[in-house]
Amino acid sequence: MKRRLPLWRKLWSGMAIRLIKRLALTVIIASVLIPLAGCWDIRYLDKLGVVIALGVDDDPSGKFRYELTVQVVLPQNATSRDGGGNGSPVMTLTEKGDTVFEAIRKMSAKTSRRLFFSHTQLLVIHESTAKKGIFPLMDLIDRNADIRTDISVVIARGVKAAKLLQIRTQMESVPANQIKETILVDQNAKGQLYSVLVRDITRISKSEGQQIAVPAVGVEGDPEAGSTKEIVDRINPKVLPELKTMAVFDGGRLIGYLPPKQSQGLTWSLNKLQNTVLKFPCANGKGHYIMEVIRTGTKVKAEKPKGESEWPTVKMEIRMQSSVHEVTCPGLSINDEQTLLALEEKLNAVVEKEIKSTVDWLMDRKLDALGWGEQIYRDQPALWKQMKARWKTIFPQIQYEIHCISHVESMGARTDAITE
């Protein structure tokens, strides 16, 4: 007589068998897929041409819209500091097309490696191309998942973008890196211009009335001589990329360039300035002193209309921490409290004047590169609805107040001037 199994054991036995079958199937599938993991889109470095910079010019023949130049890193040469003895650390390729994408695809006939854009650091746009509009270029980058949007954008002023990318540099073996890093150094040490990325332009293009400003770069020396190896062999190079000022746009089209003081004033206004130095004459007209602004903070607020005005008043407050350097004023003692207060007041007045001249320059051209429209939209949304459609006309009429507050933190190791 056969022994009957309890019902619970029959159920458990059936479940166990099904579980074992499923586990075995999972193991088989995993063993098949593991060799494929991570390999479906693998790209080997020796099969890629890593594009570090893009340069966009007008097609000189007029047959196409763009002439595109790419700066490609040559790893075998870039590893050596001096460009290696084995050749240039970079090379450039140039092609034409009605779109940047078309020009890139045409380059496949000139290179043994597929162009790779995930490490692109710099986008250079010639001024004549920028006058026709830069939004189509931003659209290509913003849509392409293979290109990052943290690319630094500059305008080539007085020189073709292609020529700018062909200038060999000494401090950085890859020329695009020197241009990008020089902008960051200027922002941190002088503040005449500031770094602007592709994603910044995309964001501003969608903002409430704000216009774009982009740093401009030119050339010191003869750009035709910039691609020769003799350039990096000289102690005093004959040609160098040189920063200019901020270029301002209207609706994505280049309008002009801010003068140096107004360019720095824009950096102050947008809270981009981190460090700068200002030179002041002595009270008696003999000698000078230098004040270094070591920390800054700018706050902007749009308040409700005052008096008879129907539009908001924009208030700007700039706080500065500074130190005193290079005093050549005879008999000036900066250890005195009244003297320090006078220095602070002078610094406040100079910065306020600089920012005011920037605001007036932009208002005369109806260009809100200051972002005041966006500020009014955030602080006074009801009023902005009434202003939005006519903002370009209203912007020059906006009342504003600029208030600087400075504090001298350091006076150096001396308190008295050596000069007599």
Side-chain angles (χ1 to χ4, degrees):
M1 180 176 170
K2 292 183 179 180
R3 184 179 177 184
R4 298 180 63 183
L5 294 173
L7 180 60
W8 68 271
R9 291 193 62 180
K10 288 183 179 181
L11 294 174
W12 172 256
S13 177
M15 292 175 61
I17 292 172
R18 288 194 297 272
L19 182 62
I20 291 171
K21 286 181 177 180
R22 289 179 181 176
L23 182 60
L25 181 61
T26 302
V27 171
I28 292 171
I29 294 173
S31 65
V32 172
L33 293 179
I34 284 175
L36 301 178
C39 298
W40 66 275
D41 67 342
I42 192 168
R43 300 176 182 180
Y44 293 100
L45 183 61
D46 61 351
K47 299 296 183 182
L48 298 174
V50 178
V51 176
I52 201 72
L54 296 167
V56 185
D57 295 291
D58 289 336
D59 175 18
S61 70
K63 294 180 180 179
F64 298 95
R65 184 175 184 181
Y66 298 124
E67 181 180 74
L68 178 71
T69 301
V70 297
Q71 188 180 99
V72 183
V73 176
L74 303 177
Q76 67 273 22
N77 297 337
T79 52
S80 177
R81 178 61 197 88
D82 61 356
N86 296 321
S88 172
V90 297
M91 67 171 290
T92 60
L93 297 170
T94 301
E95 193 51 83
K96 301 169 184 176
D98 288 325
T99 67
V100 172
F101 192 72
E102 178 187 358
I104 290 172
R105 285 305 173 94
K106 283 184 177 181
M107 288 180 185
S108 62
K110 299 180 178 181
T111 174
S112 59
R113 301 183 180 187
R114 182 168 182 175
L115 298 180
F116 185 66
F117 295 88
S118 290
H119 295 290
T120 303
Q121 300 291 311
L122 184 69
L123 172 61
V124 183
I125 307 171
H126 187 251
E127 53 189 347
S128 64
T129 307
K131 288 177 181 178
K132 298 174 183 176
I134 63 172
F135 287 161
L137 301 175
M138 302 303 112
D139 183 81
L140 167 74
I141 295 173
D142 203 39
R143 288 177 185 275
N144 196 322
D146 291 332
I147 307 178
R148 300 187 308 186
T149 58
D150 59 350
I151 300 172
S152 183
V153 183
V154 301
I155 301 301
R157 183 176 182 182
V159 61
K160 287 188 65 176
K163 289 295 181 183
L164 192 59
L165 293 180
Q166 290 166 1
I167 295 174
R168 298 187 65 176
T169 53
Q170 292 178 308
M171 288 190 174
E172 303 291 340
S173 59
V174 178
N177 287 342
Q178 176 148 332
I179 295 174
K180 180 180 179 180
E181 293 301 320
T182 303
I183 294 172
L184 295 175
V185 169
D186 185 277
Q187 183 174 348
N188 293 331
K190 187 180 179 183
Q192 187 164 294
L193 40 69
Y194 54 90
S195 176
V196 177
L197 308 180
V198 168
R199 62 169 172 245
D200 297 327
I201 295 176
T202 303
R203 174 184 55 80
I204 293 173
S205 69
K206 299 174 182 177
S207 67
E208 299 291 337
Q210 185 173 356
Q211 300 297 340
I212 300 164
V214 177
V217 180
V219 172
E220 181 186 79
D222 180 12
E224 297 295 333
S227 59
T228 60
K229 190 176 186 299
E230 289 73 17
I231 292 296
V232 295
D233 290 336
R234 294 175 59 93
I235 293 178
N236 58 330
K238 289 184 177 180
V239 56
L240 280 172
E242 181 184 33
L243 301 185
K244 300 297 184 180
T245 61
M246 297 299 291
V248 288
F249 289 71
D250 185 4
R253 292 178 172 82
L254 176 65
I255 297 299
Y257 303 93
L258 283 161
K261 286 293 184 182
Q262 285 73 22
S263 186
Q264 188 175 53
L266 180 63
T267 311
W268 283 107
S269 303
L270 296 176
N271 199 28
K272 302 286 187 180
L273 191 143
Q274 299 181 27
N275 190 291
T276 193
V277 292
L278 297 169
K279 180 181 177 181
F280 299 88
C282 302
N284 59 8
K286 297 179 180 180
H288 64 268
Y289 63 93
I290 300 293
M291 294 193 73
E292 179 187 14
V293 179
I294 53 180
R295 279 186 297 276
T296 69
T298 302
K299 293 182 179 180
V300 182
K301 187 176 182 180
E303 297 187 347
K304 292 182 178 181
K306 291 184 177 181
E308 298 180 357
S309 175
E310 58 180 319
W311 309 124
T313 298
V314 175
K315 285 191 173 182
M316 187 183 301
E317 181 183 274
I318 300 95
R319 291 184 176 270
M320 301 172 284
Q321 302 293 326
S322 63
S323 58
V324 182
H325 297 282
E326 194 179 320
V327 179
T328 63
C329 303
L332 178 64
S333 175
I334 56 177
N335 196 34
D336 179 67
E337 184 178 353
Q338 293 302 317
T339 301
L340 288 177
L341 290 174
L343 295 182
E344 290 172 354
E345 289 177 3
K346 184 66 174 177
L347 176 60
N348 293 338
V350 168
V351 175
E352 287 175 6
K353 182 178 178 181
E354 190 170 285
I355 295 175
K356 184 180 184 302
S357 69
T358 302
V359 175
D360 292 344
W361 192 95
L362 292 169
M363 282 185 166
D364 287 344
R365 292 156 180 82
K366 300 180 180 181
L367 300 173
D368 178 19
L370 301 162
W372 284 5
E374 183 73 16
Q375 194 65 45
I376 294 172
Y377 166 72
R378 290 197 295 264
D379 295 342
Q380 306 292 335
L383 281 172
W384 176 249
K385 289 182 180 180
Q386 305 174 30
M387 305 166 66
K388 182 177 180 179
R390 296 182 292 148
W391 177 237
K392 197 173 183 67
T393 304
I394 295 173
F395 171 62
Q397 305 173 30
I398 293 294
Q399 295 182 7
Y400 64 91
E401 298 175 10
I402 301 170
H403 185 44
C404 291
I405 304 170
S406 65
H407 174 68
V408 176
E409 276 192 351
S410 171
M411 298 167 285
R414 294 185 58 86
T415 56
D416 297 324
I418 298 177
T419 306
E420 296 182 356

